[in-house]
Amino acid sequence: IKVRTDFCFEEKTLATVNRLVSYLIRVLIVIALLIGSSLLCTAPTITGSGDAVTIIFRMVGFVGYALSVFYAYLLYRDVKKGK
């Protein structure tokens, strides 16, 4: 009986799957940030006036939107490098 002890192919495959799953998780985080930030930025005012709470929500939404764009750029750069 011959036992195969060369697992080089499996290690490469697992490394590739691990990298792809890492990309997928990062993409899901970027998408969640983008959707949540868009909801906060476009939240209608409850009272109809620009009260402080609404302005703060919109500022937080804008910061989240900027972060999601920045993270998307970092993800794009890592994909291009092959990290």
PDB file of all heavy atoms in Angstrom, residues 1 5 7-9 13 21 26 32 37 39 42 46 49 52 54 57-58 62 71-72 76 80-81 83:
ATOM      1  N   ILE A   1       0.857  -1.173   0.000  1.00  0.00           N
ATOM      2  CA  ILE A   1       0.000   0.000   0.000  1.00  0.00           C
ATOM      3  C   ILE A   1       0.899   1.230   0.000  1.00  0.00           C
ATOM      4  O   ILE A   1       1.813   1.336   0.807  1.00  0.00           O
ATOM      5  CB  ILE A   1      -0.900   0.002   1.241  1.00  0.00           C
ATOM      6  CG1 ILE A   1      -1.841  -1.190   1.168  1.00  0.00           C
ATOM      7  CG2 ILE A   1      -1.662   1.292   1.335  1.00  0.00           C
ATOM      8  CD1 ILE A   1      -2.722  -1.310   2.377  1.00  0.00           C
ATOM      9  N   THR A   5       2.162  11.253   0.705  1.00  0.00           N
ATOM     10  CA  THR A   5       2.550  12.189   1.764  1.00  0.00           C
ATOM     11  C   THR A   5       2.825  13.585   1.231  1.00  0.00           C
ATOM     12  O   THR A   5       3.220  14.460   1.994  1.00  0.00           O
ATOM     13  CB  THR A   5       3.817  11.680   2.483  1.00  0.00           C
ATOM     14  OG1 THR A   5       4.853  11.515   1.522  1.00  0.00           O
ATOM     15  CG2 THR A   5       3.542  10.374   3.191  1.00  0.00           C
ATOM     16  N   PHE A   7       1.494  16.876   0.312  1.00  0.00           N
ATOM     17  CA  PHE A   7       0.294  17.691   0.481  1.00  0.00           C
ATOM     18  C   PHE A   7       0.513  19.121   0.011  1.00  0.00           C
ATOM     19  O   PHE A   7      -0.139  20.037   0.452  1.00  0.00           O
ATOM     20  CB  PHE A   7      -0.144  17.704   1.941  1.00  0.00           C
ATOM     21  CG  PHE A   7      -0.578  16.362   2.428  1.00  0.00           C
ATOM     22  CD1 PHE A   7       0.177  15.689   3.365  1.00  0.00           C
ATOM     23  CD2 PHE A   7      -1.725  15.770   1.949  1.00  0.00           C
ATOM     24  CE1 PHE A   7      -0.222  14.449   3.821  1.00  0.00           C
ATOM     25  CE2 PHE A   7      -2.124  14.535   2.391  1.00  0.00           C
ATOM     26  CZ  PHE A   7      -1.371  13.865   3.327  1.00  0.00           C
ATOM     27  N   CYS A   8       1.440  19.312  -0.870  1.00  0.00           N
ATOM     28  CA  CYS A   8       1.760  20.646  -1.375  1.00  0.00           C
ATOM     29  C   CYS A   8       0.566  21.246  -2.122  1.00  0.00           C
ATOM     30  O   CYS A   8       0.253  22.412  -1.956  1.00  0.00           O
ATOM     31  CB  CYS A   8       2.989  20.580  -2.266  1.00  0.00           C
ATOM     32  SG  CYS A   8       3.523  22.178  -2.868  1.00  0.00           S
ATOM     33  N   PHE A   9      -0.106  20.446  -2.920  1.00  0.00           N
ATOM     34  CA  PHE A   9      -1.250  20.938  -3.683  1.00  0.00           C
ATOM     35  C   PHE A   9      -2.370  21.390  -2.766  1.00  0.00           C
ATOM     36  O   PHE A   9      -2.985  22.428  -2.977  1.00  0.00           O
ATOM     37  CB  PHE A   9      -1.744  19.851  -4.642  1.00  0.00           C
ATOM     38  CG  PHE A   9      -2.966  20.242  -5.392  1.00  0.00           C
ATOM     39  CD1 PHE A   9      -2.893  21.164  -6.421  1.00  0.00           C
ATOM     40  CD2 PHE A   9      -4.198  19.708  -5.056  1.00  0.00           C
ATOM     41  CE1 PHE A   9      -4.024  21.533  -7.124  1.00  0.00           C
ATOM     42  CE2 PHE A   9      -5.336  20.076  -5.752  1.00  0.00           C
ATOM     43  CZ  PHE A   9      -5.242  20.989  -6.777  1.00  0.00           C
ATOM     44  N   THR A  13      -4.032  25.170  -2.276  1.00  0.00           N
ATOM     45  CA  THR A  13      -5.464  25.356  -2.453  1.00  0.00           C
ATOM     46  C   THR A  13      -6.086  25.970  -1.216  1.00  0.00           C
ATOM     47  O   THR A  13      -6.899  26.892  -1.315  1.00  0.00           O
ATOM     48  CB  THR A  13      -6.143  24.010  -2.774  1.00  0.00           C
ATOM     49  OG1 THR A  13      -5.505  23.430  -3.909  1.00  0.00           O
ATOM     50  CG2 THR A  13      -7.610  24.200  -3.053  1.00  0.00           C
ATOM     51  N   VAL A  21     -11.674  33.981   0.994  1.00  0.00           N
ATOM     52  CA  VAL A  21     -12.628  34.203   2.084  1.00  0.00           C
ATOM     53  C   VAL A  21     -12.309  35.511   2.802  1.00  0.00           C
ATOM     54  O   VAL A  21     -13.208  36.264   3.182  1.00  0.00           O
ATOM     55  CB  VAL A  21     -12.630  33.001   3.050  1.00  0.00           C
ATOM     56  CG1 VAL A  21     -13.385  33.320   4.329  1.00  0.00           C
ATOM     57  CG2 VAL A  21     -13.238  31.787   2.372  1.00  0.00           C
ATOM     58  N   ARG A  26     -13.984  41.129   3.809  1.00  0.00           N
ATOM     59  CA  ARG A  26     -13.701  42.564   3.698  1.00  0.00           C
ATOM     60  C   ARG A  26     -14.702  43.252   2.777  1.00  0.00           C
ATOM     61  O   ARG A  26     -15.132  44.382   3.048  1.00  0.00           O
ATOM     62  CB  ARG A  26     -12.278  42.775   3.217  1.00  0.00           C
ATOM     63  CG  ARG A  26     -11.267  42.376   4.284  1.00  0.00           C
ATOM     64  CD  ARG A  26      -9.855  42.312   3.792  1.00  0.00           C
ATOM     65  NE  ARG A  26      -9.354  43.623   3.391  1.00  0.00           N
ATOM     66  CZ  ARG A  26      -8.174  43.803   2.836  1.00  0.00           C
ATOM     67  NH1 ARG A  26      -7.377  42.780   2.613  1.00  0.00           N
ATOM     68  NH2 ARG A  26      -7.776  45.005   2.508  1.00  0.00           N
ATOM     69  N   ALA A  32     -21.597  46.725   3.923  1.00  0.00           N
ATOM     70  CA  ALA A  32     -22.410  47.084   5.085  1.00  0.00           C
ATOM     71  C   ALA A  32     -22.170  48.535   5.498  1.00  0.00           C
ATOM     72  O   ALA A  32     -23.119  49.264   5.820  1.00  0.00           O
ATOM     73  CB  ALA A  32     -22.104  46.143   6.246  1.00  0.00           C
ATOM     74  N   SER A  37     -24.170  53.823   5.898  1.00  0.00           N
ATOM     75  CA  SER A  37     -23.840  55.240   5.778  1.00  0.00           C
ATOM     76  C   SER A  37     -24.807  55.959   4.849  1.00  0.00           C
ATOM     77  O   SER A  37     -25.196  57.096   5.105  1.00  0.00           O
ATOM     78  CB  SER A  37     -22.418  55.405   5.269  1.00  0.00           C
ATOM     79  OG  SER A  37     -21.517  54.818   6.164  1.00  0.00           O
ATOM     80  N   LEU A  39     -27.901  55.164   4.387  1.00  0.00           N
ATOM     81  CA  LEU A  39     -29.154  55.332   5.134  1.00  0.00           C
ATOM     82  C   LEU A  39     -29.067  56.491   6.112  1.00  0.00           C
ATOM     83  O   LEU A  39     -30.019  57.253   6.285  1.00  0.00           O
ATOM     84  CB  LEU A  39     -29.509  54.041   5.867  1.00  0.00           C
ATOM     85  CG  LEU A  39     -29.995  52.889   5.000  1.00  0.00           C
ATOM     86  CD1 LEU A  39     -30.186  51.636   5.839  1.00  0.00           C
ATOM     87  CD2 LEU A  39     -31.299  53.259   4.332  1.00  0.00           C
ATOM     88  N   THR A  42     -29.047  59.969   4.195  1.00  0.00           N
ATOM     89  CA  THR A  42     -30.312  60.363   3.564  1.00  0.00           C
ATOM     90  C   THR A  42     -31.493  60.226   4.501  1.00  0.00           C
ATOM     91  O   THR A  42     -32.633  60.222   4.052  1.00  0.00           O
ATOM     92  CB  THR A  42     -30.559  59.503   2.313  1.00  0.00           C
ATOM     93  OG1 THR A  42     -30.609  58.126   2.700  1.00  0.00           O
ATOM     94  CG2 THR A  42     -29.464  59.713   1.291  1.00  0.00           C
ATOM     95  N   ILE A  46     -37.224  64.162  11.203  1.00  0.00           N
ATOM     96  CA  ILE A  46     -38.496  63.809  11.834  1.00  0.00           C
ATOM     97  C   ILE A  46     -39.341  65.062  12.063  1.00  0.00           C
ATOM     98  O   ILE A  46     -40.536  65.083  11.795  1.00  0.00           O
ATOM     99  CB  ILE A  46     -38.245  63.062  13.163  1.00  0.00           C
ATOM    100  CG1 ILE A  46     -37.534  61.750  12.877  1.00  0.00           C
ATOM    101  CG2 ILE A  46     -39.539  62.822  13.909  1.00  0.00           C
ATOM    102  CD1 ILE A  46     -37.037  61.031  14.097  1.00  0.00           C
ATOM    103  N   SER A  49     -37.162  70.149  10.670  1.00  0.00           N
ATOM    104  CA  SER A  49     -36.126  71.184  10.792  1.00  0.00           C
ATOM    105  C   SER A  49     -34.769  70.504  10.914  1.00  0.00           C
ATOM    106  O   SER A  49     -34.672  69.316  11.166  1.00  0.00           O
ATOM    107  CB  SER A  49     -36.395  72.048  12.021  1.00  0.00           C
ATOM    108  OG  SER A  49     -36.304  71.260  13.193  1.00  0.00           O
ATOM    109  N   ALA A  52     -30.081  69.288  15.796  1.00  0.00           N
ATOM    110  CA  ALA A  52     -28.712  68.802  16.001  1.00  0.00           C
ATOM    111  C   ALA A  52     -28.589  67.299  15.807  1.00  0.00           C
ATOM    112  O   ALA A  52     -27.583  66.818  15.276  1.00  0.00           O
ATOM    113  CB  ALA A  52     -28.230  69.195  17.388  1.00  0.00           C
ATOM    114  N   THR A  54     -30.243  65.280  13.804  1.00  0.00           N
ATOM    115  CA  THR A  54     -30.244  64.949  12.382  1.00  0.00           C
ATOM    116  C   THR A  54     -28.908  65.309  11.741  1.00  0.00           C
ATOM    117  O   THR A  54     -28.377  64.551  10.924  1.00  0.00           O
ATOM    118  CB  THR A  54     -31.385  65.690  11.659  1.00  0.00           C
ATOM    119  OG1 THR A  54     -32.607  65.388  12.318  1.00  0.00           O
ATOM    120  CG2 THR A  54     -31.463  65.288  10.212  1.00  0.00           C
ATOM    121  N   PHE A  57     -26.413  62.695  12.763  1.00  0.00           N
ATOM    122  CA  PHE A  57     -26.620  61.454  12.003  1.00  0.00           C
ATOM    123  C   PHE A  57     -26.015  61.583  10.612  1.00  0.00           C
ATOM    124  O   PHE A  57     -25.364  60.661  10.117  1.00  0.00           O
ATOM    125  CB  PHE A  57     -28.095  61.127  11.873  1.00  0.00           C
ATOM    126  CG  PHE A  57     -28.682  60.438  13.076  1.00  0.00           C
ATOM    127  CD1 PHE A  57     -30.043  60.271  13.178  1.00  0.00           C
ATOM    128  CD2 PHE A  57     -27.887  59.957  14.097  1.00  0.00           C
ATOM    129  CE1 PHE A  57     -30.596  59.637  14.271  1.00  0.00           C
ATOM    130  CE2 PHE A  57     -28.424  59.335  15.194  1.00  0.00           C
ATOM    131  CZ  PHE A  57     -29.787  59.173  15.281  1.00  0.00           C
ATOM    132  N   ARG A  58     -26.238  62.694   9.983  1.00  0.00           N
ATOM    133  CA  ARG A  58     -25.713  62.873   8.629  1.00  0.00           C
ATOM    134  C   ARG A  58     -24.193  62.962   8.622  1.00  0.00           C
ATOM    135  O   ARG A  58     -23.537  62.467   7.706  1.00  0.00           O
ATOM    136  CB  ARG A  58     -26.336  64.090   7.981  1.00  0.00           C
ATOM    137  CG  ARG A  58     -27.800  63.831   7.676  1.00  0.00           C
ATOM    138  CD  ARG A  58     -28.439  64.931   6.931  1.00  0.00           C
ATOM    139  NE  ARG A  58     -29.831  64.561   6.647  1.00  0.00           N
ATOM    140  CZ  ARG A  58     -30.683  65.356   6.088  1.00  0.00           C
ATOM    141  NH1 ARG A  58     -30.317  66.566   5.728  1.00  0.00           N
ATOM    142  NH2 ARG A  58     -31.914  64.952   5.870  1.00  0.00           N
ATOM    143  N   PHE A  62     -21.724  60.438   6.705  1.00  0.00           N
ATOM    144  CA  PHE A  62     -20.685  60.867   5.764  1.00  0.00           C
ATOM    145  C   PHE A  62     -19.331  60.277   6.131  1.00  0.00           C
ATOM    146  O   PHE A  62     -18.585  59.837   5.266  1.00  0.00           O
ATOM    147  CB  PHE A  62     -20.597  62.394   5.721  1.00  0.00           C
ATOM    148  CG  PHE A  62     -19.535  62.881   4.792  1.00  0.00           C
ATOM    149  CD1 PHE A  62     -19.731  62.817   3.422  1.00  0.00           C
ATOM    150  CD2 PHE A  62     -18.348  63.378   5.276  1.00  0.00           C
ATOM    151  CE1 PHE A  62     -18.743  63.251   2.546  1.00  0.00           C
ATOM    152  CE2 PHE A  62     -17.355  63.812   4.418  1.00  0.00           C
ATOM    153  CZ  PHE A  62     -17.555  63.753   3.049  1.00  0.00           C
ATOM    154  N   TYR A  71     -11.693  51.914   2.658  1.00  0.00           N
ATOM    155  CA  TYR A  71     -11.489  50.472   2.793  1.00  0.00           C
ATOM    156  C   TYR A  71     -11.615  49.766   1.449  1.00  0.00           C
ATOM    157  O   TYR A  71     -10.912  48.787   1.183  1.00  0.00           O
ATOM    158  CB  TYR A  71     -12.464  49.867   3.795  1.00  0.00           C
ATOM    159  CG  TYR A  71     -12.162  50.208   5.226  1.00  0.00           C
ATOM    160  CD1 TYR A  71     -13.182  50.322   6.157  1.00  0.00           C
ATOM    161  CD2 TYR A  71     -10.868  50.413   5.669  1.00  0.00           C
ATOM    162  CE1 TYR A  71     -12.923  50.633   7.470  1.00  0.00           C
ATOM    163  CE2 TYR A  71     -10.597  50.727   6.977  1.00  0.00           C
ATOM    164  CZ  TYR A  71     -11.623  50.833   7.882  1.00  0.00           C
ATOM    165  OH  TYR A  71     -11.360  51.140   9.182  1.00  0.00           O
ATOM    166  N   ALA A  72     -12.510  50.242   0.597  1.00  0.00           N
ATOM    167  CA  ALA A  72     -12.636  49.652  -0.736  1.00  0.00           C
ATOM    168  C   ALA A  72     -11.360  49.880  -1.542  1.00  0.00           C
ATOM    169  O   ALA A  72     -10.906  48.988  -2.265  1.00  0.00           O
ATOM    170  CB  ALA A  72     -13.834  50.250  -1.458  1.00  0.00           C
ATOM    171  N   TYR A  76      -8.945  46.969  -2.985  1.00  0.00           N
ATOM    172  CA  TYR A  76      -8.561  46.947  -4.398  1.00  0.00           C
ATOM    173  C   TYR A  76      -7.052  46.864  -4.538  1.00  0.00           C
ATOM    174  O   TYR A  76      -6.527  46.093  -5.348  1.00  0.00           O
ATOM    175  CB  TYR A  76      -9.110  48.195  -5.107  1.00  0.00           C
ATOM    176  CG  TYR A  76      -8.651  48.331  -6.519  1.00  0.00           C
ATOM    177  CD1 TYR A  76      -9.213  47.556  -7.525  1.00  0.00           C
ATOM    178  CD2 TYR A  76      -7.665  49.242  -6.865  1.00  0.00           C
ATOM    179  CE1 TYR A  76      -8.784  47.676  -8.837  1.00  0.00           C
ATOM    180  CE2 TYR A  76      -7.230  49.372  -8.168  1.00  0.00           C
ATOM    181  CZ  TYR A  76      -7.797  48.585  -9.156  1.00  0.00           C
ATOM    182  OH  TYR A  76      -7.361  48.697 -10.444  1.00  0.00           O
ATOM    183  N   LYS A  80      -4.896  43.755  -6.203  1.00  0.00           N
ATOM    184  CA  LYS A  80      -3.963  43.966  -7.301  1.00  0.00           C
ATOM    185  C   LYS A  80      -2.567  43.448  -6.963  1.00  0.00           C
ATOM    186  O   LYS A  80      -1.872  42.916  -7.818  1.00  0.00           O
ATOM    187  CB  LYS A  80      -3.863  45.453  -7.653  1.00  0.00           C
ATOM    188  CG  LYS A  80      -5.009  45.937  -8.468  1.00  0.00           C
ATOM    189  CD  LYS A  80      -5.066  45.187  -9.765  1.00  0.00           C
ATOM    190  CE  LYS A  80      -5.667  46.023 -10.843  1.00  0.00           C
ATOM    191  NZ  LYS A  80      -5.762  45.306 -12.085  1.00  0.00           N
ATOM    192  N   LYS A  81      -2.155  43.599  -5.694  1.00  0.00           N
ATOM    193  CA  LYS A  81      -0.845  43.113  -5.280  1.00  0.00           C
ATOM    194  C   LYS A  81      -0.838  41.598  -5.120  1.00  0.00           C
ATOM    195  O   LYS A  81       0.212  40.971  -5.165  1.00  0.00           O
ATOM    196  CB  LYS A  81      -0.437  43.740  -3.951  1.00  0.00           C
ATOM    197  CG  LYS A  81       0.023  45.159  -4.049  1.00  0.00           C
ATOM    198  CD  LYS A  81       0.482  45.646  -2.696  1.00  0.00           C
ATOM    199  CE  LYS A  81       0.940  47.073  -2.741  1.00  0.00           C
ATOM    200  NZ  LYS A  81       1.328  47.555  -1.414  1.00  0.00           N
ATOM    201  N   LYS A  83      -2.067  40.038  -2.303  1.00  0.00           N
ATOM    202  CA  LYS A  83      -1.864  39.696  -0.899  1.00  0.00           C
ATOM    203  C   LYS A  83      -2.950  38.779  -0.405  1.00  0.00           C
ATOM    204  O   LYS A  83      -4.074  38.897  -0.668  1.00  0.00           O
ATOM    205  CB  LYS A  83      -1.866  40.952  -0.020  1.00  0.00           C
ATOM    206  CG  LYS A  83      -0.569  41.696  -0.084  1.00  0.00           C
ATOM    207  CD  LYS A  83      -0.597  42.809   0.928  1.00  0.00           C
ATOM    208  CE  LYS A  83       0.683  43.558   0.985  1.00  0.00           C
ATOM    209  NZ  LYS A  83       0.679  44.626   1.940  1.00  0.00           N
TER     210      LYS A  83
END
